[in-house]
Amino acid sequence: MPQALQQTLAPVPSDIEIAQAATPIPIDRIAGEIGVLPEELELYGKNKAKVHLSIRERLKDVPNGRYVVVTAITPTPLGEGKTTTTVGLSQALGAHLGKRVFTCVRQPSQGPTFGIKGGAAGGGYSQIIPMEEFNLHLTGDIHAITAANNLLAAALDTRMFHESNSTDEQLFDRLCPPKKDGSRRFSPVMLRRLGNLGIAQTDPNRLTPEERSRFARLDLDPATITWRRVIDTSDRMLRQITIGQGPEEKGQTRVTGFDIAVASEIMAILALTTSLGDMRERLGRMVVGASRAGRPITADDLGVGGALTVLMKDAIMPNLMQTLEGTPAFVHAGPFANIAHGNSSIVADQIALKLVGAGGYVLTEAGFGADMGFEKFCNIKCRYSGLTPSCVVLVATIRALKMHGGGPKVVAGSPLSPVYSEENLELLDKGCSNLVRMIGNARGFGIPVVVAVNRFHTDTDSEIELVRRIAKAAGAEDAVTANHWALGGAGAVELGKAVIAACDKPSHFRFLYPLERSIKEKIEIIVREMYGGSGVEYSEEAERKILHYTRNGFDGLPICMAKTHLSLSHDPNLKGAPTGFTVPVRDIRASVGAGFLYPLLGTMSTMPGLSTRPGYYEIDLDPVTGKVIGLS
């Protein structure tokens, strides 16, 4: 059962020192206490396990618990402790207030773990443990995504290579080689392609020459290819590369590039899928480009949809871990919120809501601010899950609000200006414009809002009171100070009580836009109502993509904006709550399998870079104890 921390130290030790000093409860015991049967559990050592999706069918008649989504104001580059707040609140509800509770968070990418931001297990006395396992390989889900993504990339390029030096009849004979008796067969994935082409014949020998040609030749237009390779490392030198330079590739060179693994559409599918069957369909209909005739080419057209599903079959199961105070946590999927939709998996939330049951609470975290992961949580994740939240927790810090009020630039790795540790009510009052906008964003979806002020030791009572007063005047149900980083769950008890009270109030959830609106209309609604912008400017490429996607029936998909997380606008230098700006859309890509379109705003990159002094300088291994050191 969850148990409050017996002792906390001051000053607070490093995150990894706290995590390594804890003794995790065996994960099979955690599973048993929350109602998971032994046959529903796949152990990965003593501290983590996967949970089978079959548990949903067994518990289908159990009422769902309360669904709480945790978001934030626009953060500084240092982050404002959203995951730490999520974990601390979970510990408060479970170990101090006696509630059944589950935490659902994303698996972190190796990119930020070894970069500036560090890991994502929480911090201080509000963490998910073991920290090293959480932040590194976990159960291999990201490796599976990388393998599947790159298999599809290889399938695409090899198909183009073979089509470049083969006739239609040669291609057909290689795809459906005759046996000694002259018979041929289509594989199951080939039958899917035939169905998409409207060819009813299932005997290869009965296809007409025209049908054989349509079936065998994809005729991919290299200029339309959107599928890129991925790696789970921030590597700026891979943003643009040239492939096919080997002598045996016969001049089939092509300019392409790498994305960070968590930006892969396959990661988005993992987060949004609801079953193995659904995942198979989503993976198969991923679009990699178009034929020269303008027809979308899918993973199933390339014959690889089934193989991708095989690589992903274990990754679909959520990973069970625990907090420092023994409350259960699902760590599953990790799409970035500034590139993809920034939420952990639907299946983790579904299972958790059944396990806590009526009277219980599931906390799910949405990446970055309420203009980013939270907006996508509501407009994308809730559409596909059918779940609606009971309450929004909006995390804020005095530090970030002062920055939005005009404080000096906050740079990761550099000392903070004294203005962030000294009382300055004027700067803070001005910066609360961002908090007010974010409260309005959350309330716009019809959900009660609780503001959590993640307290730092330099925050003064007057500053805290100013934020509380402004938040409540802006429509928040409550605004509560929390000190869970230093005190664990005990520091978030009042926040827990405020969340319980907010969940008892009516929620009138609504989407920001109907899917029937045009692509441009949906983009412009988000820009106006979430960001405060006045208009949108589309590049020629974006205009071309809009026409192409509309012509192919993709215009009914929701929108997933790819933009900076450091501003409500597309420009990271615009702080506070800017208005009157025009958002430039330089390109739009289609994640048809995941089920959304994602416009690229401004200079948004899908492959982060490393700084001069990344976090890996501090990370090492103690060869005597075998313990990881320096991870943060």
Side-chain angles (χ1 to χ4, degrees):
M1 294 295 290
Q3 188 169 351
L5 296 170
Q6 297 302 304
Q7 181 183 15
T8 56
L9 301 178
V12 176
S14 70
D15 291 351
I16 196 162
E17 288 174 324
I18 293 172
Q20 290 179 342
T23 302
I25 301 168
I27 202 64
D28 55 348
R29 182 177 144 198
I30 293 273
E33 289 174 350
I34 61 177
V36 178
L37 302 179
E39 59 267 28
E40 295 167 336
L41 202 66
E42 294 287 339
L43 293 172
Y44 281 67
K46 297 179 181 179
N47 300 318
K48 56 188 184 293
K50 280 188 170 291
V51 174
H52 285 266
L53 270 57
S54 60
I55 196 170
R56 292 178 305 177
E57 179 63 24
R58 179 171 66 83
L59 300 178
K60 65 182 179 181
D61 295 327
V62 175
N64 284 346
R66 301 296 183 89
Y67 195 32
V68 179
V69 56
V70 182
T71 183
I73 62 170
T74 302
T76 68
L78 307 177
E80 308 316 309
K82 190 166 68 280
T83 305
T84 306
T85 302
T86 304
V87 175
L89 175 57
S90 174
Q91 294 178 162
L93 290 168
H96 297 265
L97 296 172
K99 302 295 184 181
R100 290 177 67 85
V101 66
F102 228 110
T103 308
C104 294
V105 295
R106 291 172 294 164
Q107 179 185 355
S109 164
Q110 179 180 295
T113 296
F114 290 111
I116 287 295
K117 192 173 181 183
Y125 287 103
S126 294
Q127 295 188 52
I128 293 173
I129 56 172
M131 177 190 179
E132 308 96 302
E133 296 180 31
F134 178 102
N135 280 313
L136 299 175
H137 304 287
L138 198 58
T139 58
D141 294 347
I142 293 181
H143 300 316
I145 289 163
T146 302
N149 185 102
N150 294 344
L151 175 61
L152 178 53
L156 184 160
D157 283 305
T158 201
R159 183 59 171 266
M160 292 176 65
F161 170 77
H162 289 299
E163 287 193 14
S164 71
N165 52 48
S166 304
T167 66
D168 291 353
E169 195 61 32
Q170 287 172 329
L171 284 171
F172 183 80
D173 283 341
R174 292 169 189 166
L175 290 168
C176 300
K179 296 181 181 179
K180 289 182 179 179
D181 63 0
S183 65
R184 306 174 190 253
R185 61 176 289 273
F186 288 124
S187 67
V189 74
M190 291 176 176
L191 294 174
R192 288 173 177 257
R193 172 161 170 75
L194 289 168
N196 290 337
L197 292 171
I199 299 174
Q201 183 56 253
T202 58
D203 182 351
N205 283 329
R206 292 179 178 270
L207 264 61
T208 67
E210 187 270 339
E211 288 173 334
R212 288 188 176 198
S213 177
R214 288 175 58 209
F215 164 77
R217 188 168 296 277
L218 301 182
D219 198 28
L220 255 167
D221 181 354
T224 67
I225 293 173
T226 55
W227 197 262
R228 291 153 60 94
R229 288 160 174 81
V230 300
I231 186 171
D232 196 36
T233 302
S234 295
D235 191 344
R236 67 179 70 247
M237 295 304 175
L238 294 179
R239 288 172 178 168
Q240 182 169 307
I241 61 171
T242 302
I243 61 172
Q245 292 187 322
E248 296 186 2
E249 280 60 64
K250 302 175 183 177
Q252 294 295 309
T253 59
R254 182 169 69 84
V255 175
T256 180
F258 275 74
D259 293 334
I260 190 84
V262 292
S264 170
E265 183 177 353
I266 298 176
M267 173 62 89
I269 286 175
L270 178 64
L272 292 170
T273 194
T274 53
S275 67
L276 267 174
D278 177 63
M279 184 169 71
R280 171 63 185 88
E281 295 303 315
R282 287 174 179 269
L283 291 172
R285 65 174 179 257
M286 292 188 299
V287 173
V288 300
S291 70
R292 286 182 171 84
R295 182 184 178 278
I297 302 299
T298 68
D300 274 346
D301 287 327
L302 288 163
V304 75
L308 302 182
T309 310
V310 169
L311 287 171
M312 292 293 295
K313 69 180 180 64
D314 293 329
I316 196 174
M317 294 185 286
N319 305 297
L320 179 64
M321 297 187 78
Q322 64 190 284
T323 70
L324 278 168
E325 298 184 37
T327 59
F330 275 140
V331 184
H332 198 216
F336 277 0
N338 56 349
I339 299 173
H341 69 287
N343 287 269
S344 59
S345 74
I346 286 175
V347 293
D349 291 357
Q350 289 176 331
I351 294 171
L353 286 164
K354 294 299 182 185
L355 287 170
V356 300
Y361 296 82
V362 170
L363 312 178
T364 191
E365 178 192 348
F368 295 127
D371 59 322
M372 297 288 290
F374 172 74
E375 180 268 314
K376 298 168 185 179
F377 168 86
C378 293
N379 284 319
I380 299 174
K381 185 176 180 181
C382 289
R383 285 187 197 272
Y384 290 121
S385 71
L387 301 171
T388 57
S390 308
C391 169
V392 179
V393 175
L394 184 68
V395 179
T397 62
I398 302 296
R399 174 182 68 192
L401 292 173
K402 286 180 177 178
M403 179 197 69
H404 286 297
K409 189 173 183 179
V410 176
V411 179
S414 299
L416 279 174
S417 166
V419 74
Y420 294 111
S421 57
E422 299 170 355
E423 183 173 292
N424 190 323
L425 297 179
E426 181 180 355
L427 200 64
L428 178 61
D429 182 56
K430 185 179 179 183
C432 280
S433 61
N434 187 270
L435 173 65
V436 171
R437 173 73 63 75
M438 292 301 196
I439 292 171
N441 282 359
R443 293 186 72 229
F445 288 93
I447 316 165
V449 180
V450 173
V451 171
V453 183
N454 183 18
R455 185 160 197 170
F456 294 178
H457 73 279
T458 54
D459 300 341
T460 69
D461 290 343
S462 296
E463 289 175 328
I464 295 289
E465 184 53 36
L466 175 61
V467 173
R468 292 189 72 246
R469 186 169 68 250
I470 291 174
K472 293 177 82 169
E477 300 293 335
D478 206 345
V480 183
T481 307
N483 196 16
H484 42 279
W485 179 79
L487 301 176
V493 168
E494 294 307 311
L495 176 60
K497 291 177 180 177
V499 168
I500 292 170
C503 285
D504 287 335
K505 296 192 174 182
S507 176
H508 305 288
F509 180 79
R510 56 184 172 270
F511 295 118
L512 186 63
Y513 52 78
L515 293 180
E516 295 74 25
R517 292 288 189 97
S518 70
I519 294 172
K520 283 189 174 182
E521 285 176 322
K522 286 180 281 197
I523 291 172
E524 288 157 17
I525 288 170
I526 294 171
V527 167
R528 285 196 313 270
E529 299 192 23
M530 289 288 106
Y531 308 160
S534 60
V536 181
E537 183 179 82
Y538 301 91
S539 70
E540 288 185 11
E541 178 66 12
E543 293 279 11
R544 188 184 68 79
K545 291 284 186 65
I546 289 170
L547 289 174
H548 175 69
Y549 295 149
T550 302
R551 187 164 54 245
N552 284 288
F554 302 152
D555 54 322
L557 294 174
I559 300 296
C560 182
M561 299 287 232
K563 79 170 185 75
T564 179
H565 59 288
L566 298 174
S567 172
L568 275 159
S569 75
H570 63 285
D571 181 352
N573 296 311
L574 293 179
K575 303 301 183 184
T579 58
F581 54 89
T582 298
V583 170
V585 175
R586 80 168 196 268
D587 194 6
I588 302 177
R589 298 180 186 172
S591 290
V592 178
F596 54 72
L597 303 177
Y598 64 106
L600 299 175
L601 309 189
T603 58
M604 189 67 226
S605 172
T606 51
M607 169 57 85
L610 291 170
S611 66
T612 305
R613 193 186 188 285
Y616 57 66
Y617 273 84
E618 303 295 335
I619 299 171
D620 213 323
L621 190 75
D622 185 326
V624 177
T625 64
K627 286 186 174 182
V628 174
I629 57 177
L631 195 62
S632 63

